[in-house]
Amino acid sequence: MVPEALRQRLDRHLGRQLERWRGLERARRQTVRLVAVSAAAGLAVAGGSVVAAGPWDATGQRLAERDRAASAASAAAAAGGRAGRAGVPDPGLRGRPASAAPPVLPALGALGGPAAPPRYAEDLARDLEPLLQDPSLGDRHSAAVYDAGTGQLLFGADQGTACTPASTIKLATAAAALAALGPDHRIETTVVAGNDGIVLVGGGDPTLTSRPAKGDGPRSASLAELADATARALKDRGTARTKLSYDASRYSGPLLHAIGPNENIAPVSALMVDEGRLDDTDRGPAPRTAEPAADAARAFATMLRERGVQVDGDAAEVRADAHAQRLAAVSSAPLSALVERALTNSDNDIAEALARQTALASGRPAGFEGAAKAVTDRLAALGLPMPGTRLADGSGLDRADQVSADFLARLLLRAADPAHPELRPVLTGLPVAGFTGTLRDRYDEAAGRGVIRAKTGTLTGVNTLAGTAATPDGRVLTFAFMAQNTTAPDQAQRTLDRLASGLVD
């Protein structure tokens, strides 16, 4: 684990950096101080004194940055436009101050700055084009690299061609949810009075947990705390005996993803506990229940009995009265924390929940189809390049998803844009190369270790990588590399890692 004192120091410095990075000379001096602390942290980790375990959102080192971003001015509408040739700014960023969200370990030098000279793009092309031709990337691949401080397209290779994104589509799902609901939104699970007892009402929080809290990061909603509050409310009403029903009607459409029953995702229900996992894991593949809502109700009934409330019979599924009296409620961690957890761990259950929450906020049915339409609309409103874009789910498990490398790289530009502070968790949730999440065991020898932050995407024959890179000259780049029809996934991953490392080496 990262030492608590070090986490707090990083947190404070990240907060100061975000507050002062608007092009002032004072911000430049502050960045140097931050780099000293961050570099020390990186060396400690690389030297073996720090063990990276799990998503850093659970240890709190990004809280200051997230809170600072959430309190910034409300987002302005982003103007869209087509990506141009290398060296051309993203039209959606014209007229805005050069700025970029810092990685965990920024390079020395000021963030933002003047446009890259032509030679810069030429050097990138010289280094990246041979890697793109590596046989491990199959017969179809594309790439896009932007300067996050200026919006310049520095490198493109078939960047506008739509490809299967796999889990990198979670970046789009996360951005849409944050745009629709804001980083501070929480998902509630409630207990209300019913006609002949009480009703457990699911709000769509897959992280509702029946397990004891652990760690010092944002806490998941606790089923035990909901049982405590419910037992107290019943006692106040002079009731020690009740009938329990449950309501999972907030979501609509099929429960099962198109891939069918699978250890990578539970049936998508508005009421579930611990993502429907049947073991004690909290990430990665696991056996899943076929009845997440009914299982959650059974677990809740057991907890009520343990608290002295007699629950009669088995819980039945009902639809609660919209005006029913609320007896108790618990709330999820903020949406920003859910986004970070979804991206760091590539969590399919949270990603599908984020898509449905976007649908609910947009007045659409909260099923696969309604969620896909709602997310698409929110992304278009952010000014992203939509030609060829097709969303079929929120997690990327569906091969029908199609986006371009230009779309992903420019989405990350939006997340770094000072006009869109609500999107900042898209950046802070990215795994750190060699340290966290799905990149923890990659980049062992690569130059990108610690300075690449990226979302991975993997399906059979599909390998993708999209994220940010901090360069030695002080630039922050956003990138997306996509490969289709790959036959050697491990080698394809290594080649993608070499491409990302080529941005900073």
Side-chain angles (χ1 to χ4, degrees):
M1 295 290 290
V2 179
E4 178 63 26
L6 180 57
R7 287 199 302 269
Q8 293 177 355
R9 290 170 62 194
L10 282 170
D11 205 21
R12 289 194 297 271
H13 282 277
L14 283 170
R16 295 192 193 107
Q17 184 187 44
L18 185 62
E19 183 180 16
R20 297 184 174 96
W21 71 349
R22 296 296 180 93
L24 301 174
E25 286 302 317
R26 186 180 179 186
R28 300 175 189 272
R29 294 193 297 270
Q30 192 65 29
T31 299
V32 173
R33 297 189 191 101
L34 170 64
V35 170
V37 175
S38 297
L43 290 173
V45 176
S49 61
V50 175
V51 178
W56 288 14
D57 70 292
T59 59
Q61 93 278 16
R62 289 197 292 263
L63 291 178
E65 181 180 17
R66 183 170 64 237
D67 292 344
R68 186 72 64 185
S71 64
S74 60
R82 294 193 305 266
R85 62 189 180 279
V88 177
D90 171 9
L93 296 180
R94 283 198 187 114
R96 293 176 183 162
S99 183
V104 166
L105 305 177
L108 288 170
L111 295 170
R119 183 61 184 269
Y120 197 99
E122 294 170 7
D123 289 345
L124 274 182
R126 181 198 63 207
D127 293 341
L128 299 182
E129 285 174 354
L131 288 173
L132 281 173
Q133 302 307 316
D134 191 291
S136 66
L137 296 186
D139 59 7
R140 185 182 175 197
H141 37 72
S142 62
V145 180
Y146 281 88
D147 186 325
T150 65
Q152 278 182 283
L153 174 66
L154 299 178
F155 177 79
D158 291 328
Q159 69 269 26
T161 301
C163 301
T164 303
S167 279
T168 53
I169 202 64
K170 290 183 175 72
L171 297 169
T173 305
L178 290 164
L181 295 159
D184 296 325
H185 177 76
R186 296 173 185 262
I187 304 170
E188 284 193 330
T189 305
T190 61
V191 175
V192 302
N195 292 331
D196 57 352
I198 59 175
V199 184
L200 174 64
V201 183
D205 177 14
T207 65
L208 177 68
T209 183
S210 60
R211 303 167 183 170
K214 60 181 179 180
D216 55 359
R219 291 188 59 189
S220 297
S222 168
L223 192 67
E225 291 180 3
L226 185 61
D228 287 337
T230 302
R232 287 194 299 270
L234 292 174
K235 181 180 179 180
D236 291 343
R237 293 160 64 100
T239 301
R241 181 174 186 171
T242 189
K243 181 178 179 180
L244 173 66
S245 302
Y246 65 92
D247 182 352
S249 64
R250 197 162 194 233
Y251 289 173
S252 59
L255 290 175
L256 288 179
H257 190 280
I259 62 173
N262 195 279
E263 290 192 342
N264 289 299
I265 187 170
V268 185
S269 173
L271 177 61
M272 64 169 62
V273 173
D274 297 311
E275 300 184 342
R277 295 173 181 270
L278 297 177
D279 58 17
D280 60 357
T281 62
D282 62 1
R283 70 198 69 179
R288 308 298 183 107
T289 177
E291 300 179 320
D295 279 2
R298 283 189 281 267
F300 189 62
T302 298
M303 290 181 176
L304 288 176
R305 292 184 181 106
E306 292 171 349
R307 287 154 178 79
V309 177
Q310 183 175 338
V311 179
D312 296 335
D314 296 328
E317 187 168 8
V318 301
R319 184 181 289 265
D321 188 322
H323 303 291
Q325 180 184 3
R326 177 183 293 203
L327 302 179
V330 290
S331 297
S332 71
L335 193 71
S336 55
L338 298 183
V339 163
E340 290 185 340
R341 179 170 165 180
L343 297 181
T344 301
N345 293 333
S346 199
D347 193 300
N348 298 311
D349 301 281
I350 297 178
E352 294 297 349
L354 293 174
R356 279 156 182 73
Q357 295 296 316
T358 304
L360 292 169
S362 305
R364 290 190 178 274
F368 284 100
E369 183 177 350
K373 289 180 179 178
V375 170
T376 300
D377 290 346
R378 294 287 176 175
L379 297 171
L382 288 172
L384 296 173
M386 302 305 290
T389 298
R390 181 192 175 193
L391 275 66
D393 69 357
S395 59
L397 291 172
D398 196 323
R399 291 176 179 273
D401 292 324
Q402 294 284 294
V403 300
S404 67
D406 192 58
F407 172 92
L408 291 173
R410 286 174 63 182
L411 186 155
L412 292 162
L413 277 184
R414 288 293 181 273
D417 185 349
H420 289 282
E422 76 281 3
L423 302 183
R424 192 56 45 77
V426 172
L427 299 182
T428 57
L430 292 172
V432 183
F435 294 119
T436 64
T438 55
L439 289 186
R440 182 175 57 188
D441 298 324
R442 289 167 62 168
Y443 291 83
D444 288 343
E445 304 296 333
R449 183 175 172 86
V451 293
I452 299 293
R453 302 183 67 156
K455 181 71 197 76
T456 58
T458 307
L459 293 171
T460 302
V462 175
N463 294 90
T464 58
L465 190 69
T468 65
T471 71
D473 66 349
R475 297 181 186 278
V476 175
L477 310 181
T478 70
F479 66 85
F481 302 119
M482 309 183 77
Q484 314 284 288
N485 304 324
T486 59
T487 57
D490 290 343
Q491 182 58 42
Q493 284 185 358
R494 285 191 288 272
T495 303
L496 293 176
D497 292 348
R498 289 173 63 197
L499 280 162
S501 294
L503 302 177
V504 299
D505 187 4

